[in-house]
Amino acid sequence: MAGWRDPRREPTPEVGEDLRRLALRQAGYFTTRQALRLGCNAEDIDGRLAEGSWLRIERDLFRLASFPRSDLEEYAKWCAWFEGAAVVSHQSAAELHGLGHLHPSFVHLTTARSAPAPTRRLALHRRELRPEDCEQTGTFPITTPLCTALDLAAGGIAQDLFDEVVSDGVAIGRIDPEELRAECDGRPQQVAERIAHALGVCD
């Protein structure tokens, strides 16, 4: 019969609700692997796409069609693609925190995963982050202003741009100068010198 689907192939209500809750935490996005892990199968996915309740955004990345759009969904989208293993960082984090005027051309993410970037729109930085290096903003994680400043100090942006990032962070109370100085211990001399210069501009 046309349009008939075996009810045994439908996700149980619990499975559907678990996936919906996960997607809501990720701005409506979820991956194929997440859907399968929560009890869906390939036929379920095809059915949701056909009926229009799910949208295919990228390879192995979907979005609930009913979830409202936002200006920040590009960040949430790629954090969802990494399934919680990536954090918005570096120039992108500075932009979102309102530090400096870096206007990044890419979405900068830090991840410990070795998988290649799924798109040229991403700049991936490979390292482990401490829990205290990150905070949650809406539907995706982001490095703290302190961690962002440390990353940029080691990342090679022009000194005057870095000075502005630190000055803005200090001015709005998001970067503590003493904490930033303390974080210089054990880091390369060039990083410490760049931070000292930026803090000197704030004095």
Side-chain angles (χ1 to χ4, degrees), residues 6-151:
D6 185 343
R8 292 171 299 175
R9 308 304 294 171
E10 292 287 343
T12 66
E14 293 78 11
V15 168
E17 182 60 22
D18 287 344
L19 182 58
R20 189 185 74 84
R21 282 197 295 264
L22 172 67
L24 293 180
R25 294 196 301 270
Q26 300 179 157
Y29 295 100
F30 56 94
T31 66
T32 301
R33 185 164 59 177
Q34 288 174 327
L36 296 175
R37 188 184 303 141
L38 289 174
C40 295
N41 55 46
E43 190 172 321
D44 298 326
I45 293 171
D46 289 342
R48 295 294 185 264
L49 291 171
E51 72 187 19
S53 59
W54 293 3
L55 304 175
R56 188 185 299 276
I57 304 301
E58 304 282 348
R59 180 175 58 85
D60 290 328
L61 184 69
F62 306 96
R63 188 176 190 275
L64 298 179
S66 60
F67 198 89
R69 297 282 181 178
S70 87
D71 293 338
L72 301 180
E73 65 182 51
E74 186 74 1
Y75 305 101
K77 175 176 78 172
W78 293 116
C79 286
W81 192 91
F82 281 93
E83 300 179 345
V87 179
V88 177
S89 65
H90 294 75
Q91 286 93 327
S92 295
E95 186 85 359
L96 291 175
H97 284 306
L99 308 179
H101 297 86
L102 301 183
H103 306 299
S105 301
F106 304 95
V107 173
H108 290 257
L109 300 177
T110 292
T111 179
R113 286 190 178 178
S114 58
T119 171
R120 294 181 180 178
R121 301 194 298 275
L122 296 183
L124 297 184
H125 307 268
R126 314 281 186 173
R127 73 182 182 95
E128 291 278 358
L129 290 170
R130 305 169 299 180
E132 60 267 31
D133 292 331
C134 309
E135 60 188 39
Q136 190 74 19
T137 176
T139 54
F140 56 89
I142 183 172
T143 52
T144 64
L146 180 65
C147 179
T148 300
L150 291 165
D151 285 340

Side-chain angles (χ1 to χ4, degrees), residues 168-185:
D168 286 350
V170 171
I172 64 176
R174 296 301 316 275
I175 293 177
D176 182 283
E178 294 309 313
E179 286 185 21
L180 187 55
R181 285 192 182 94
E183 285 284 350
C184 291
D185 292 346

Side-chain angles (χ1 to χ4, degrees), residues 184-195:
C184 291
D185 292 346
R187 296 182 186 271
Q189 182 178 352
Q190 182 182 7
V191 171
E193 290 174 351
R194 281 165 60 82
I195 290 172

